[in-house]
Amino acid sequence: ANANIVKNVMPYEIIGGNPGKVLKKRFDSDVIDLLLKLKWWDLPIDIIKDIQIYLCAQPNKESLEVLVSKYSITTDVKLPPIKP
């Protein structure tokens, strides 16, 4: 609370103190790389609902590799526009 963060925070880092400093990473580097590759936040909501059990569990390399191979969004994939 009331921490001053004056630099970018890398994904899945835990920051604490004032000024804010990196305390640790939430996951190991392999898991972070897979989470970033999966880009679950860009997936359609119906897919997120289907895989939420995996997203809410402690991530492990094996399950994330399966999800990435099945659901990762590449730059070639065009998602349909969102209807207002």
Side-chain angles (χ1 to χ4, degrees):
N2 294 325
N4 296 315
I5 307 300
V6 295
K7 322 187 249 190
N8 289 338
V9 175
M10 297 306 293
Y12 302 102
E13 284 183 340
I14 297 173
I15 309 298
N18 194 4
K21 294 179 183 164
V22 177
L23 299 178
K24 68 177 190 172
K25 293 183 178 185
R26 285 192 68 190
F27 313 115
D28 66 41
S29 295
D30 290 338
V31 169
I32 291 172
D33 291 342
L34 288 167
L35 286 166
L36 295 174
K37 191 173 181 181
L38 179 58
K39 295 184 182 180
W40 62 267
W41 52 88
D42 287 337
L43 294 172
I45 192 69
D46 58 326
I47 293 176
I48 293 173
K49 288 178 181 178
D50 288 345
I51 65 173
Q52 71 181 342
I53 188 97
Y54 303 104
L55 297 175
C56 293
Q58 179 68 27
N60 64 64
K61 189 175 175 184
E62 294 77 24
S63 63
L64 286 173
E65 286 172 341
V66 171
L67 291 174
V68 166
S69 68
K70 189 170 182 179
Y71 296 111
S72 69
I73 295 177
T74 65
T75 54
D76 299 337
V77 175
K78 301 287 189 224
L79 294 176
I82 298 173
K83 296 178 183 176

